[in-house]
Structures are given as C-alpha cells and as structure tokens.
Amino acid sequence: MSKEELKRVSDSKTTRLVKKGEPIFKEGEKLDGVFCVRDGVSKLSKLSANGKDQIVKLASKGEVIGQRSVVAEESVNLTAVAVSDMEVCFIPKEGIVSTLHTNPNFTLEVLRHMAHDLKEADDVIVNMSQKNVKQRMAEAFLYLKKNFGEDEEGFLRLVLSREDISNVVGTAIESCIRIISEFKKKGYLKTSGKKIGIADEKALNNLIEGF
Amino acid sequence: MSKEELKRVSDSKTTRLVKKGEPIFKEGEKLDGVFCVRDGVSKLSKLSANGKDQIVKLASKGEVIGQRSVVAEESVNLTAVAVSDMEVCFIPKEGIVSTLHTNPNFTLEVLRHMAHDLKEADDVIVNMSQKNVKQRMAEAFLYLKKNFGEDEEGFLRLVLSREDISNVVGTAIESCIRIISEFKKKGYLKTSGKKIGIADEKALNNLIEGF
DNA sequence: CGAGGCATTGAACTATGTCAAACCATGTGG
DNA sequence: CCACATGGTTTGACATAGTTCAATGCCTCG
C-alpha cells in the first residue's frame, strides 16, 4: 500500500478491548469494516441446526477477521467470540473497498490470504469427514501447539475449555474428555489444572497417520 | 478486463476434451494455468490418510478450477477428475498473473469468487461435523438438484456412482446405499437404474432441520 | 456456606463402519 | 450362444465408535 493509503487507514482505525467470552460480531450481522487482532485469540464459529457451535478457525495476533464478508459485500457467516482478553483494531470498509478497486497489489495480497484460508478449509473438510474423533483430537492439539506455542513448562499457551475443544473437533464434550484422559493415561498428554501439554508428539502423529 | 487483456487470454487459451473418469490434474502437481469448464462436470477431491477420497466440490459449466493454486503460487491441493465427459479450456498463468498485478477490478472479481468458495467451504465444515449421515445425504441430493437440475422425468441430471455419492457425503458406500433405499421406501426419493430423483423435497428439508 | 458452572465417570443406547456373501448387468473369449 | 470373469450394487450380521443421560465431584465467587 502507498504511504498515503496507509496513512488514511491508520487515521481511521480505532482500537477496542474485548473481554474473554464477549462477541466481536455475530453471524448474520452486516459489518462496516474488518477487525485486526492486536492481542488475544478469537474463535470463529457457526451455529448448526442441532444447536451446537462448530469452531471453524482460531484467529490470533496479526490476523484479520471479517474480510470475507467485506470483500463479498455480504453479511457475516460466522460468529467471532474472544477466547481470551483481546485487543482488536477496527478498519472501516470505505478505505478498504476503495483500495481494493485501485491498488492491485493490495487486492492480490488479500486474495493470496484468502487462497490460503480456502486451502486450510479444504483440509479441515477432509479431516472432519475422514478421520475419527481420536485422530481429530490429536490434530487439534498439534495445531494448538504449532499456532499458539507452549509455555516454559511445555503446556499449550492457548487454554481452551473442554467445550471449546469439542467444538473445534466436532464431538460431544464427554467424548472429548474421555479421549483426553485416555491420551493422558497413555502418556501422550499431560495436564495441570485446565492446562494441557503435549508429552509425546510422535505418538499423536502416528495416531493421525493411522498406526 | 480490458479488450486487450481479453484478447490476449482468448488467444492463448486452448481447449481439451476429457473423458469421464480421466483426471484433469492431480494433488501435488504444479499447474501453469487454470481450467475453465466448458461442458461436463468435474469432482475436486482429496485423498485422506485412510485411503478414501473426499469430494470437496463439484465444478460445472462456467466454473474455473485451479485458481487457488495459481493465485497462491503453490502446487494444487486437490485432484480434479471428470465425472462426465468434459470440455475444458486451459488458460496459461502468465496472462492471469500479469493481469492480477495490473487490473484491480479483475483481481477483485477473482477475490469475490474465492470469498464465495470460502463461505461454502465453511458451510461444508459445519455440515460434516454436526450433521449425521442421513442429513448429509439429504443435503447432497438437494445440492445436486439445485446445481445440476433435473430431467423431464424429475431425475437428477448429474448421475453419480454410489461411491461418488459416499465420497461427497463422507461415509461408507454401504451406508450410502442403505440410506438411499430407506429414503426410497419412505417416498423421499425415486430411482430408475442409476438415476435418482427427488420425490419429496420438503421431507428432505425437514430431515436436515432435525424434525 | 451455598449456588452455579465446568469437569468427570458410568451405563445404556444408537449410528455407522466392516466383512462376507449374493446379485445383476456387461463384455469377452471359446 | 454359452460360460465365465468383471465391476458396481445390494443385503445381512456383527463389531465398534460415539452420543446421550444421569449422577457426582470439584472449584470459584459472592
């Protein structure tokens, strides 16, 4: 983006604090801008007919949410809720839309980003439909480690409730709990309070590969 | 796109016939262009660790396949196979990439398209993880009707093998077959040879909604 | 201390996958 | 024309993964 554009965006953006559990936007709303995550993590989920949420993506620092809706000029198809206390900045759509029309490099950048999201979504589809719950659980933990890291003691930085985990994996809470305790017993995971740590990454990988 | 650009693309494109069952491209390959479906239907699928294909999308006349890979400059993440005899035209990536860099309206158009695909993918994720096999089967038939239409006698135009259907729905062939015969017995579907027709659309919708 | 919310466990139930056998249309070579 | 291999389809019986419901424990906050 040109300096001028950058300045315009930077002038018009506003930051906002969102407490854990609070929504940033909800399915069906119309957004007049996008949000950029400054700090914290947000879950992007969708309510299904049976009343359960499915978490489709977790967005953290540096990620932009709501672009799909702004780009397509449609209402949002996902609900964004803070999983930890967050700081987000809001960028109104006017600036974005006009830049999209005039600056091909910016548009291309957004396009590449969306291409990446789409690929990830395809992978999720395959995982959801072809892998069993244990394998999906294993995937989820490795994903959490890869994307959010571990603390000094080897526990996952991002702490999710069992319910959130089951909404990522697409299973009943009880199944999720049982599998965590099974993994713990087998030495694949360790826990401390709500914190979960990966103890045997290789075993989890083997599980996913079907060994 | 400007006339000039359009001319360039139109000059460089070549058309190709693909017989039913033949691949257009395979997962992992590098594409040097995109394909536009002139006629027929292609299934886009991905092989999972357990050896089963998952069909992620069905592309028909007018749709472009392979853009994600060209835009992101990565190898393809899906395999495209013809489900019926096809005519596709190939558009080499040089023209596309240069246009992406120079023509923001074209880029934006592509971006909007991808935004739409992404939304659909999110929907599929939710369906896959939150709905049971019967509901997913019902969805699949309604999808086939909506996207590919029916013939004069009310049978779905696109005829898929039971295996393809089960790869769309993400289930075992036998489960798929059993559900088709159950739906038939209940009067939701009708069949004639391999052709399947929707007899009671409302009932299928109710099933999906969970009634 | 008591209430509410999350986590855990057990037991019963159901949906779905798996395996094996039978079936049917189709094409092939004798 | 028949015998037979072939590949997709169908059905039955069975095993298992996963869900659901109900009860209990456990922690935190007022």
Side-chain angles (χ1 to χ4, degrees), chain A residues 79-184:
Chain A
T79 294
V81 173
V83 166
S84 57
D85 290 344
M86 298 182 72
E87 186 187 337
V88 300
C89 69
F90 176 76
I91 305 167
K93 74 174 171 191
E94 292 75 33
I96 298 172
V97 171
S98 70
T99 310
L100 283 174
H101 277 100
T102 52
N103 184 336
N105 289 322
F106 173 70
T107 313
L108 187 52
E109 203 47 51
V110 177
L111 179 56
R112 293 230 162 98
H113 212 278
M114 204 162 294
H116 176 254
D117 281 354
L118 183 56
K119 180 190 173 131
E120 285 205 332
D122 284 344
D123 288 344
V124 173
I125 292 174
V126 176
N127 284 340
M128 283 299 174
S129 44
Q130 301 285 0
K131 297 196 170 150
N132 62 32
V133 177
K134 274 181 208 174
Q135 292 174 317
R136 270 146 47 202
M137 290 282 290
E139 295 247 23
F141 290 124
L142 295 176
Y143 171 86
L144 291 176
K145 173 174 174 177
K146 190 173 162 198
N147 285 274
F148 304 98
E150 302 176 321
D151 63 17
E152 321 71 44
E153 292 150 320
F155 292 104
L156 295 171
R157 278 235 155 65
L158 182 63
V159 177
L160 293 175
S161 70
R162 307 290 138 136
E163 184 172 15
D164 280 339
I165 298 177
S166 56
N167 288 344
V168 168
V169 171
T171 191
I173 296 186
E174 295 94 329
S175 305
C176 163
I177 289 175
R178 271 181 251 268
I179 289 172
I180 290 176
S181 70
E182 180 189 335
F183 282 180
K184 213 169 113 182

Side-chain angles (χ1 to χ4, degrees), chain A residues 46-50 52-56 68 70-78 97 99-105 107-108 110-112 114-126 128-131 136 166-167 169-171 208-210, chain B residues 46-50 52-56 68 70-78 97 99-105 107-108 110-112 114-126 128-131 136 166-167 169-171 208-210:
Chain A
K46 189 167 170 160
L47 195 61
S48 76
N50 69 27
K52 275 201 220 155
D53 274 331
Q54 175 64 37
I55 296 179
V56 165
R68 204 208 63 78
V70 166
V71 162
E73 308 191 77
E74 296 171 353
S75 49
V76 236
N77 59 330
L78 300 172
V97 171
T99 310
L100 283 174
H101 277 100
T102 52
N103 184 336
N105 289 322
T107 313
L108 187 52
V110 177
L111 179 56
R112 293 230 162 98
M114 204 162 294
H116 176 254
D117 281 354
L118 183 56
K119 180 190 173 131
E120 285 205 332
D122 284 344
D123 288 344
V124 173
I125 292 174
V126 176
M128 283 299 174
S129 44
Q130 301 285 0
K131 297 196 170 150
R136 270 146 47 202
S166 56
N167 288 344
V169 171
T171 191
I208 294 171
E209 301 302 331
Chain B
K46 186 163 173 165
L47 196 61
S48 77
N50 69 25
K52 276 200 220 158
D53 274 330
Q54 175 65 35
I55 296 178
V56 165
R68 203 207 64 76
V70 166
V71 163
E73 309 191 76
E74 296 171 352
S75 48
V76 236
N77 59 330
L78 300 172
V97 170
T99 310
L100 283 174
H101 277 100
T102 53
N103 183 338
N105 290 321
T107 312
L108 186 52
V110 176
L111 179 56
R112 292 230 163 99
M114 204 161 292
H116 177 254
D117 280 355
L118 183 56
K119 180 192 174 130
E120 287 206 330
D122 284 343
D123 288 344
V124 173
I125 291 173
V126 176
M128 283 300 175
S129 42
Q130 301 285 0
K131 297 196 172 153
R136 268 143 50 200
S166 56
N167 288 344
V169 171
T171 191
I208 294 172
E209 300 303 329

Side-chain angles (χ1 to χ4, degrees), chain B residues 25 42-46 54-57 59 65 78-80:
Chain B
F25 53 75
S42 165
K43 58 178 175 184
L44 296 169
S45 67
K46 186 163 173 165
Q54 175 65 35
I55 296 178
V56 165
K57 186 178 163 71
I65 59 183
L78 300 172
T79 295

Side-chain angles (χ1 to χ4, degrees), chain B residues 142 198-207:
Chain B
L142 295 176
I198 293 178
D200 186 347
E201 185 159 346
K202 191 137 180 278
L204 293 179
N205 267 310
N206 287 340
L207 219 161

Side-chain angles (χ1 to χ4, degrees), chain B residues 150 153-156 188-192 195-200:
Chain B
E150 303 177 320
E153 292 148 320
F155 292 104
L156 296 170
Y188 303 169
L189 294 179
K190 57 185 177 178
T191 61
S192 156
K195 286 187 292 186
I196 294 182
I198 293 178
D200 186 347

